Amino acid sequence: MSDWHDELEFALLPLEDAKIDSDCMTFVISNALSEQGIFHQCRIGYAEDRLSRIATAPHCWIELEQGWCIDLRLRHWLGDEDDLPHGVFQPSSYPRVRYQGSAWLVPRLDAGDLKAMTNDVYDKVKLPWLAGRARAA
């Protein structure tokens, strides 16, 4: 993982404590990334554990440039196992899981709504240093 992706994951980890599902998590992370001008695409579809054949649908996640993804909710549904993706990752590093979905346009929300959705956890997400590094990565 690149330093930039490590730093992004670390900055987003406070959101793990938010009691929200993947759709709202995608809203929150997308808004944080958009505030910093970080290119990304939200996705909605499903994720399937190829080992157990369990799928979670609908499921939402974020795709970044160069094939990177952000998903902080999959382990909530499929189990807290090391070979299931979590955080910022390359899906090819987790062959056990198959993501399938479509682009999804999420609403822009104001800071008050984001704080309310996350029980004020949104205030702990700090990405100010990421925008310039994202373009350089």
Side-chain angles (χ1 to χ4, degrees):
M1 189 181 307
S2 74
D3 287 343
W4 182 81
H5 293 102
D6 280 338
E7 291 174 21
L8 175 59
E9 181 171 286
F10 184 76
L12 295 174
L13 286 181
L15 292 172
E16 287 181 315
D17 297 330
K19 306 257 187 275
I20 54 178
D21 284 329
S22 68
D23 57 344
C24 291
M25 182 67 75
T26 299
F27 293 168
V28 171
I29 295 172
S30 177
N31 276 265
L33 295 172
S34 293
E35 286 172 9
Q36 298 304 317
I38 298 171
F39 179 79
H40 64 284
Q41 183 175 68
C42 300
R43 308 286 285 175
I44 185 168
Y46 68 90
E48 178 187 19
D49 179 343
R50 293 176 177 175
L51 185 62
S52 69
R53 296 287 185 220
I54 295 173
T56 178
H59 188 72
C60 307
W61 66 96
I62 292 177
E63 291 183 357
L64 301 169
E65 292 180 310
Q66 300 175 341
W68 290 87
C69 289
I70 302 172
D71 190 344
L72 296 179
R73 282 297 174 254
L74 187 63
R75 287 186 182 180
H76 176 77
W77 298 108
L78 298 183
D80 190 15
E81 299 178 36
D82 290 341
D83 57 348
L84 296 173
H86 183 78
V88 179
F89 58 91
Q90 286 274 359
S92 59
S93 298
Y94 295 92
R96 178 175 164 180
V97 174
R98 179 170 67 109
Y99 283 90
Q100 184 69 41
S102 307
W104 186 36
L105 187 60
V106 302
R108 295 280 288 150
L109 303 171
D110 65 35
D113 290 336
L114 294 165
K115 288 170 51 176
M117 287 172 67
T118 61
N119 200 20
D120 292 327
V121 173
Y122 187 74
D123 280 344
K124 296 178 184 174
V125 176
K126 305 294 183 203
L127 304 180
W129 38 265
L130 288 174
R133 297 182 105 185
R135 285 185 279 282

